[in-house]
Each structure stands twice: as structure tokens, then as C-alpha cells.
Amino acid sequence: MPSTHRYVADWNPEKFLNWADTIGDYCKTFITLLLAKRQHPEQSYKSCAGVLGLAKKVGNNRLDNACKRALDYERINYQSVKSILEKGLDAIQEETNTESNIPKHTNIRGGNYCK
């Protein structure tokens, strides 16, 4: 192997999973799915290194939040995480309002109407 490529010789799935574990649980789950996405894990190494390398630029907490958002969107690739970080979507909390905002009104029939 040429000297410029020897640094990838020690790359393996465990290395990336251990690295992701130091960042956070969502990041580790994201990297696990990214490695499983390809038939051969070696095809995902560059994407894994890219995602994990983003921690140097934005910090572990932001990267973990971005991985959580990408997992929620089911977008398991480098570009989705990068885009989430660039747009600042990792800092936005999604509303989990399960209550409907139906106004109280006399024309609205209740649940007993169709019995």
C-alpha cells in the first residue's frame, strides 16, 4: 500500500464504533447503521470518518444531536448530518404536542353523537 494510504490500514468497524461511543449514543447508533448499510463495511469507512470528524468542528454534543435528527429522518449518510449542522437544525427542539387544538364550539358534535 502506498505510504499516503497506510493510515487506513488500521481502520475497522470497531475503531469507528469506539470513536462514536466517545461522542454519544445517537452517534454510535448512526455509525452502526452506516456501517451496516453497505454490503462491505469498508465501503462506509470514508463516510464514517467524515461524520466523526465533524466533532472537531462543531463539538460532540452538536454532532450527537445531529445524528439523532438524522436517525429521526431515517437519512443515514454523511451529507444529511452535515446539512443538519450547517442549517442549525440540531439545536431546534421538535414539538411533541399530542393534544389537538380543536376549539370548544356548540356546532362540534361530541363522541356520543354517532351512538
Side-chain angles (χ1 to χ4, degrees):
M1 190 177 286
S3 61
T4 56
H5 293 172
R6 286 190 192 140
Y7 69 96
V8 299
D10 64 338
W11 284 7
N12 58 48
E14 291 77 29
K15 175 184 174 122
F16 291 112
L17 291 173
N18 290 336
W19 186 1
D21 195 31
T22 63
I23 294 171
D25 292 334
Y26 294 114
C27 189
K28 185 174 182 180
T29 303
F30 184 87
I31 293 297
T32 301
L33 292 173
L34 189 60
L35 287 167
K37 190 175 176 181
R38 303 282 181 156
Q39 183 177 5
H40 302 287
E42 293 83 6
Q43 295 171 330
S44 300
Y45 287 175
K46 192 171 181 180
S47 295
C48 290
V51 169
L52 296 170
L54 290 171
K56 292 178 183 177
K57 295 179 182 178
V58 298
N60 290 352
N61 193 30
R62 282 196 66 199
L63 180 58
D64 198 42
N65 289 337
C67 287
K68 178 187 184 302
R69 180 68 59 115
L71 289 168
D72 290 343
Y73 295 157
E74 297 179 2
R75 304 290 300 171
I76 313 300
N77 57 46
Y78 167 79
Q79 190 60 43
S80 64
V81 174
K82 183 179 174 191
S83 177
I84 288 168
L85 290 168
E86 286 174 349
K87 294 177 182 177
L89 298 176
D90 58 297
I92 298 173
Q93 296 294 327
E94 288 187 9
E95 292 183 23
T96 56
N97 188 3
T98 58
E99 295 182 27
S100 62
N101 294 330
I102 299 174
K104 299 292 182 192
H105 195 274
T106 57
N107 288 343
I108 297 177
R109 302 175 190 146
N112 295 328
Y113 179 78
C114 295
K115 286 187 179 179

